[in-house]
Amino acid sequence: PHGEPKWVTISAGEFWMGSEQGGSDERPLHRVPVAEFQMAVTPVTNGQYWIYAAATGTSSPTHWDGDLPPKGKENHPVVAVSWHDAVRYCEWLSKVTGKAIRLPTEAEWEKAARGEQDKRHYPWGDEFDPARCNTDESKIGGTTPVGIYPQGASPYGCLDMAGNVWEWCQSKYQSYPYELDDGRNDPGGDDRRVVRGGAWRLDSYGARCAFRSHGHPDSRLDSRGFRVVVSPGSRS
């Protein structure tokens, strides 16, 4: 009744984070440990966000038709939401489900996209394939319904982790190596926050598992949404 997403379990353990071929902010390639957690299979949709907005009286994204999502796009990822909007959604969903739901850390997001077995460039492997995701190469020119590219699944079964929309992460945008206790995952402050996954308006380079970008936590873009996770140890 609350639009709770379908979850997949991401196992505990180390994985390869970063890239040797990407920009300087992706280096060094290094091993990072991650505790077990659950991640939503797909980004939060317009329909799921509508349930939240209707229940709380939260203002709808400005491109909606009043209080309703764009007609025919109920199953598209919600966009034009700020980092703070996404955090408030997580707080509400935590309250109504009894689970500790939040945005993924940057390490959690990349592990869910890449897996722990190799250093793959894309969720499905090393070679880009425009039939597996919605990027600029597809020339769609906008978002697509979540989950329509099953062949683009990550090793854990997460979908839409390459292209479609940028996804807000909990983490502040800081340099590597990624340290678990360096304050980058502190939810306080107005630091720029990491976004991951590329988007429909970005090409294949930006859809790589290791590609990093960022945004001001108050900013809202038509190519930026989010997905959620359940914190380790919380009730499921």
Side-chain angles (χ1 to χ4, degrees):
H2 310 298
E4 183 178 353
K6 179 182 178 181
W7 306 104
V8 293
T9 298
I10 312 300
S11 58
E14 291 187 345
F15 78 106
W16 286 106
M17 188 170 190
S19 170
E20 297 169 325
Q21 295 81 27
S24 59
D25 66 340
E26 297 176 18
R27 299 194 293 268
L29 178 67
H30 57 300
R31 298 283 286 175
V32 175
V34 175
E36 180 181 295
F37 67 99
Q38 291 180 300
M39 174 169 266
V41 173
T42 59
V44 173
T45 65
N46 284 317
Q48 289 170 314
Y49 199 81
W50 173 82
I51 294 172
Y52 154 70
T56 61
T58 297
S59 298
S60 304
T62 56
H63 65 287
W64 281 24
D65 183 12
D67 294 331
L68 298 176
K71 189 173 181 179
K73 293 189 176 183
E74 293 81 2
N75 202 36
H76 286 231
V78 66
V79 294
V81 289
S82 70
W83 183 85
H84 292 298
D85 293 333
V87 168
R88 285 189 286 267
Y89 174 89
C90 292
E91 291 170 348
W92 170 81
L93 194 57
S94 295
K95 181 178 180 181
V96 297
T97 62
K99 301 177 182 180
I101 295 171
R102 56 171 170 77
L103 296 176
T105 66
E106 188 175 13
E108 288 171 338
W109 192 98
E110 188 168 330
K111 183 175 183 180
R114 174 177 269 169
E116 60 184 18
Q117 300 301 317
D118 52 41
K119 309 168 189 176
R120 65 183 59 195
H121 299 313
Y122 300 98
W124 55 84
D126 285 332
E127 298 300 321
F128 180 71
D129 182 352
R132 296 176 184 261
C133 58
N134 174 15
T135 59
D136 183 61
E137 286 84 355
S138 305
K139 302 305 178 187
I140 294 172
T143 60
T144 44
V146 301
I148 68 168
Y149 293 98
Q151 66 273 36
S154 80
Y156 294 104
C158 294
L159 302 172
D160 293 273
M161 300 204 80
N164 211 358
V165 293
W166 288 111
E167 299 178 14
W168 285 113
C169 292
Q170 179 175 312
S171 306
K172 301 174 183 179
Y173 182 70
Q174 296 180 190
S175 61
Y176 285 172
Y178 184 101
E179 302 289 347
L180 300 178
D181 58 355
D182 62 4
R184 71 178 64 220
N185 293 318
D186 184 341
D190 288 325
D191 304 81
R192 299 183 75 81
R193 299 286 170 165
V194 171
V195 293
R196 287 302 205 105
W200 57 268
R201 62 166 74 247
L202 212 69
D203 65 14
S204 59
Y205 185 80
R208 293 177 299 112
C209 295
F211 190 80
R212 310 175 72 206
S213 191
H214 52 89
H216 189 278
D218 288 328
S219 64
R220 298 180 174 94
L221 298 179
D222 66 355
S223 58
R224 190 183 292 159
F226 66 102
R227 80 173 71 208
V228 295
V229 301
V230 179
S231 287
S234 70
R235 183 174 63 82
S236 58

